[in-house]
Amino acid sequence: MQLIVNIDMPSYAQFRRRGLTALTAGHFVSDFYATFLPALIPLLIAEKGLSLTASGILVLVFSISANVLQPLFGYLVDKSGYTSLLLWSLPLSAFFICTVNFAPDYHWLVVLVTLSGIGNSLFHPIASSMTNKITGHHNPGFSLSIFVGGGNFGFAIAPAVVAIWLSTYRLPSLPWLMAPGLALALFF
């Protein structure tokens, strides 16, 4: 007696669309957190007594950790195959940028901003590579533009969201904005 099980398997096209959607959402969230700091600077200056120089150094440190380290992480992931680090990149970025208010001094503020930048830096080479692998030769330019567009939208909308949130709820409520990063990491 033969048992036949009919399993509704998604087609390869559905797999590509779902994968691209997930990676694009991840890029939106990653770049969403990447632009928190400029919106936070005026409040950090007021609440932590930072000078313009100290706040500029925070932006510099974030930019270096979020952007300059990407080729290094891309190389290491290519050599090691640790694409599972993608799962940690969003919560890392979200957690550390959303807890800057709890830094007891400037040095801890630099550490938190750096760790958030590292989370952002980890995401990009892994997700870009996965986007290429998922879509294969099927519309690679269009697929990559969708992926990049998701990040650009997150990059554009975050300062407004953070400004509105913080003008309503103030700096101690910032950890609530971790939710998108943590939720999406669970989805991955």
Side-chain angles (χ1 to χ4, degrees):
M1 181 167 152
Q2 184 178 11
L3 178 65
I4 299 174
V5 178
N6 188 8
I7 300 175
D8 225 6
M9 295 294 290
S11 69
Y12 184 64
Q14 288 173 320
F15 170 76
R16 280 195 317 262
R17 278 193 301 272
R18 288 178 186 164
L20 182 60
T21 300
L23 289 168
T24 300
H27 199 197
F28 170 86
V29 170
S30 177
D31 284 4
F32 181 78
Y33 291 114
T35 52
F36 265 43
L37 190 58
L40 291 173
I41 290 293
L43 289 172
L44 291 173
I45 288 172
E47 302 228 356
K48 303 267 185 205
L50 299 182
S51 67
L52 288 177
T53 303
S55 61
I57 290 171
L58 282 179
V59 174
L60 172 70
V61 166
F62 182 84
S63 294
I64 289 171
S65 63
N67 299 308
V68 176
L69 293 178
Q70 283 187 33
L72 173 65
F73 289 136
Y75 174 79
L76 293 173
V77 167
D78 284 347
K79 290 294 180 189
S80 66
Y82 288 134
T83 55
S84 61
L85 290 174
L86 182 71
L87 300 174
W88 292 99
S89 64
L90 295 176
L92 184 73
S93 192
F95 178 81
F96 289 113
I97 199 65
C98 289
T99 57
V100 294
N101 186 50
F102 303 111
D105 58 34
Y106 183 72
H107 296 95
W108 277 106
L109 195 54
V110 169
V111 169
L112 293 174
V113 166
T114 302
L115 291 172
S116 179
I118 288 171
N120 188 278
S121 192
L122 271 173
F123 177 84
H124 286 86
I126 299 170
S128 297
S129 174
M130 290 176 79
T131 298
N132 186 40
K133 287 177 185 172
I134 285 173
T135 59
H137 298 293
H138 184 76
N139 295 329
F142 177 72
S143 298
L144 189 59
S145 68
I146 295 296
F147 172 75
V148 170
N152 289 341
F153 186 58
F155 198 83
I157 198 171
V161 169
V162 172
I164 291 167
W165 180 269
L166 293 177
S167 68
T168 305
Y169 302 107
R170 307 304 300 160
L171 203 51
S173 70
L174 190 61
W176 285 102
L177 291 179
M178 278 187 237
L182 300 178
L184 195 57
L186 293 174
F187 176 74
F188 279 133

